[in-house]
Amino acid sequence: MADDEAPIEEQPEVEAEEVEEAVEAVEAEAEAEAAEEAVEEAVEEAEVEEAVEEEVEAELEADEKTEAKADKKADKKAAKEKPIPGADLEVDIVVEGDDSSPESSLDPFSDDPDVVVVEVEEPVADEPIAATIKLAADARYTATGKRKRAVARVILKPGKGEYLINGRSIDDFFPRPALQRNIRQPLEAVGYEDKMDVIARMHGGGVSAQAGALRHGISRALLEADPNLRGALKSRGFLTRDARAKERKKAGLKKARKRPQFSKR
């Protein structure tokens, strides 16, 4: 029985130095892996920080762009808006009976040099134009006035301020007081409304157009009597022909600009 059993092989003894070397190798590998992991973590953290910084910078740039656009829009809006006249003036309101202001306590008749008296200019009415017209008995001054389709041939002569239009008086030919005042304006401005008579022949146009033509003709006749009146009469608009007229009707429209009612269906 003893002869049948196989002999047991003897295991070689492991030396202590080899064990220590193996342990050191394992520890070195572990430390290298830990160092690599730490490096990778640091790199990831740096990348995250860079991404966050880039996002913050992008947000700041976007905010700056939006603010710049808003400023440009505000500037354009302010440029388009018309300035309010007198907006830069200070409000100076004095309640009636309130003498608390220092200026009101000063005596305007005192000898104090600090007292300043402000004089307010009152509006001056239109003064009559100084004219030198020869009022001889046989003096005649003729001219032609026009307005729209009305034509007035006017003769000025010395008289008492009477108007004879197509053989009729001014009250019969122009019953409206506004038109009469409009016609009398040139002679009243010169101061000869009671010294000259007006004789006119008129044709064409309506009542208002004939009144404008008559005033235009009287003004031009006054200019024939005294050429020095041109500046004064022109500044008042008496020598300028009123070019306003009715606008012609357009094709497809009811009048000059009035359109037919639009119906979608």
Side-chain angles (χ1 to χ4, degrees):
M1 191 69 182
D3 295 334
D4 296 335
E5 292 179 359
I8 299 171
E9 295 179 359
E10 296 181 358
Q11 299 292 334
E13 296 180 359
V14 180
E15 296 182 357
E17 293 180 358
E18 294 179 356
V19 173
E20 290 178 358
E21 289 178 358
V23 171
E24 289 178 358
V26 171
E27 290 178 354
E29 290 179 359
E31 289 179 357
E33 291 179 357
E36 289 179 359
E37 290 178 357
V39 170
E40 290 178 358
E41 290 178 358
V43 171
E44 290 179 357
E45 290 179 357
E47 291 178 354
V48 170
E49 290 179 356
E50 289 179 358
V52 171
E53 290 179 357
E54 290 178 356
E55 291 179 358
V56 172
E57 290 179 356
E59 291 178 357
L60 292 174
E61 289 179 357
D63 294 339
E64 290 178 356
K65 289 181 179 179
T66 52
E67 290 179 357
K69 289 182 180 179
D71 294 339
K72 288 182 179 178
K73 289 182 179 178
D75 295 339
K76 289 181 179 178
K77 187 176 180 181
K80 289 181 179 179
E81 293 179 355
K82 296 182 178 179
I84 301 174
D88 55 340
L89 300 178
E90 296 181 358
V91 180
D92 187 10
I93 301 175
V94 179
V95 182
E96 185 177 356
D98 185 9
D99 297 335
S100 58
S101 61
E103 294 181 358
S104 61
S105 60
L106 298 176
D107 185 7
F109 300 101
S110 64
D111 297 333
D112 190 356
D114 296 335
V115 177
V116 178
V117 180
V118 179
E119 296 182 359
V120 180
E121 296 182 358
E122 297 181 357
V124 181
D126 291 339
E127 298 179 356
I129 304 171
T132 56
I133 300 175
K134 297 179 181 180
L135 295 178
D138 57 348
R140 298 290 185 273
Y141 306 104
T142 61
T144 302
K146 295 180 181 180
R147 168 82 172 98
K148 289 187 178 179
R149 295 186 179 180
V151 180
R153 291 179 173 84
V154 180
I155 299 174
L156 292 182
K157 66 175 186 177
K160 299 179 181 179
E162 297 178 355
Y163 288 79
L164 190 64
I165 306 164
N166 289 354
R168 299 162 58 186
S169 64
I170 189 173
D171 295 331
D172 294 339
F173 202 89
F174 297 104
R176 292 167 56 183
L179 297 179
Q180 295 179 13
R181 288 195 300 271
N182 191 23
I183 294 168
R184 291 193 173 98
Q185 282 180 350
L187 286 177
E188 289 178 354
V190 175
Y192 280 75
E193 66 272 14
D194 297 331
K195 300 177 183 179
M196 302 188 78
D197 292 344
V198 178
I199 301 173
R201 298 293 298 176
M202 304 196 63
H203 68 274
V207 179
S208 180
Q210 287 181 351
L214 183 56
R215 190 185 80 163
H216 188 222
I218 294 171
S219 303
R220 296 181 69 178
L222 286 173
L223 189 61
E224 292 291 331
D226 186 3
N228 296 326
L229 297 175
R230 174 176 289 276
L233 293 176
K234 194 171 183 65
S235 64
R236 286 168 170 77
F238 295 152
L239 295 178
T240 303
R241 179 184 175 181
D242 193 350
R244 294 176 300 172
K246 184 175 181 179
E247 189 176 348
R248 67 170 291 261
K249 181 184 178 300
K250 310 300 188 305
L253 304 183
K254 291 188 174 182
K255 296 195 299 183
R257 301 184 183 183
K258 184 178 180 181
R259 297 179 177 274
Q261 185 177 3
F262 172 75
S263 178
K264 191 171 185 179
R265 294 178 181 84

